[in-house]
Amino acid sequence: MTAEATEELRAREGRTEILAKVAEFAAPLALVVLWVAFFIATPNFLTADNIGDLLVASTILTVLALGQQFAITVGGIDLSVGANLPWAAAVLGYLASHGYPMAVAIGAAVLSGLAVGVVNGVLIGRLHMTDFVVTLGMLSVLNGVTLLLTHGNTEAVSSRFLQRLALDGIGPVRWFWLLALLAALVVAGIIFRTRIGTHLLATGGRLEAARDTGISVNRIRLFAYAMSGLLCGIAGVMLVARNGGADPSLQTTYLLSSIAAVVLGGSSLSGGKASVLGTVCGAVLFTSLINGFTILGISQYYQPVAVGAVLLLAAGIARFRK
């Protein structure tokens, strides 16, 4: 190899190294750039009230994306969250409207989300079915079951507890923020501070190597999808609290945004790498995008275009991550 070729190779490796470092912080950097851009476009964006409402709105996607984080960490994906979210909400709405105590309805909603995750985990981890096929099939099944349960109608939920959960807090700190923060801390603790978290990363990093070291990859996959379902159930309760009812419609925007938030946040779609802080920033970024469009009066039809564009951007950025 000539001296010129060697120098060119080193320069290319140097540029790749810089891009890799930038890609590690893609979500926080993009969030700062987006907030600055919206601030320049309209002074109504960076106000205390709007930022407070924006952060409250982002908490549902944050909790959902944290669940998606588990599936992606083991090298999988959970497409069923788009239907599991309204399913959990519908269970809460159905039970509340039929006279069951609110505590029972909330518990049933969370357990319903968990049950879906467990079924996904059994089919993927125990029966070795493809995660894409399983979760896509579950998406369709849950969508139909939710519509049958609600007859396609939104179930109104009147609960002082849920209203206070969505609107109140401790001083300026809202309960939704604390709930999302608690979820993020628990997820970070599990992934980065426990033995099972090490097994999650190992399973997603090198499946055969993890199996050879004695890790029960089937159980780890089951755990990952169960956690995804559990957090989806919690997000379903938050969705009802925020909207005042259970909408049975398929939540494809939440689905796409949850995947994009995880990937943009620094995780690898092939598994073995996770970033809880990046995922949270990614969720806030997508909510900020929609919030800014609304303030600027941009048509809602452009919102899925923007979400899809950022998803493609996240996939492009992932190329440069180590």
Side-chain angles (χ1 to χ4, degrees):
M1 183 179 291
T2 64
E4 292 80 3
T6 302
E7 187 65 26
E8 176 62 26
L9 179 60
R10 289 177 179 174
R12 187 180 302 119
E13 290 176 347
R15 290 192 295 269
T16 302
E17 185 75 19
I18 293 173
L19 288 173
K21 290 180 179 179
V22 172
E24 292 297 321
F25 302 98
L29 290 174
L31 181 60
V32 171
V33 170
L34 185 67
W35 278 27
V36 170
F38 280 140
F39 173 70
I40 294 173
T42 171
N44 296 325
F45 181 77
L46 281 183
T47 62
D49 288 342
N50 185 61
I51 294 300
D53 291 340
L54 185 156
L55 292 177
V56 168
S58 70
T59 53
I60 297 173
L61 177 57
T62 296
V63 173
L64 202 65
L66 289 170
Q68 189 73 251
Q69 176 85 81
F70 281 100
I72 291 178
T73 298
V74 296
I77 196 167
D78 190 356
L79 301 177
S80 67
V81 300
N84 198 3
L85 180 66
W87 158 246
V91 169
L92 194 162
Y94 178 84
L95 293 178
S97 64
H98 283 75
Y100 287 86
M102 186 53 60
V104 173
I106 291 174
V110 174
L111 290 177
S112 296
L114 173 61
V116 172
V118 170
V119 172
N120 285 337
V122 169
L123 294 176
I124 295 167
R126 297 291 187 182
L127 301 183
H128 309 291
M129 297 174 66
T130 306
D131 52 2
F132 183 89
V133 174
V134 168
T135 57
L136 182 62
M138 186 62 74
L139 175 79
S140 180
V141 170
L142 281 179
N143 183 41
V145 171
T146 302
L147 292 174
L148 288 172
L149 180 67
T150 62
H151 302 289
N153 300 317
T154 298
E155 293 280 358
V157 177
S158 178
S159 166
R160 180 171 176 78
F161 170 75
L162 291 179
Q163 288 177 349
R164 293 184 64 182
L165 179 65
L167 300 176
D168 295 344
I170 303 175
V173 181
R174 309 278 280 274
W175 292 121
F176 262 32
W177 301 355
L178 294 177
L179 189 58
L181 177 61
L182 177 61
L185 290 175
V186 170
V187 171
I190 291 174
I191 294 178
F192 302 115
R193 292 291 185 268
T194 66
R195 183 179 180 183
I196 196 169
T198 302
H199 291 178
L200 285 165
L201 294 167
T203 299
R206 295 185 64 184
L207 180 62
E208 293 304 323
R211 185 179 282 115
D212 292 341
T213 59
I215 296 175
S216 178
V217 296
N218 294 338
R219 290 182 180 178
I220 291 299
R221 283 176 164 177
L222 172 58
F223 175 80
Y225 283 94
M227 288 300 296
S228 178
L230 175 65
L231 287 165
C232 198
I234 295 173
V237 174
M238 296 171 69
L239 186 65
V240 173
R242 179 164 173 78
N243 294 341
D247 183 357
S249 303
L250 196 64
Q251 299 291 332
T252 53
T253 300
Y254 273 115
L255 166 60
L256 293 176
S257 298
S258 70
I259 297 171
V262 175
V263 177
L264 188 63
S267 299
S268 171
L269 271 175
S270 59
K273 188 172 184 180
S275 173
V276 173
L277 177 61
T279 295
V280 172
C281 288
V284 175
L285 185 147
F286 278 101
T287 309
S288 301
L289 193 65
I290 295 174
N291 178 273
F293 277 16
T294 302
I295 292 177
L296 292 172
I298 298 175
S299 172
Q300 63 179 353
Y301 300 127
Y302 287 102
Q303 293 179 8
V305 176
V307 171
V310 176
L311 181 57
L312 292 174
L313 176 63
I317 290 173
R319 292 182 59 250
F320 299 103
R321 293 198 182 104
K322 294 183 177 180

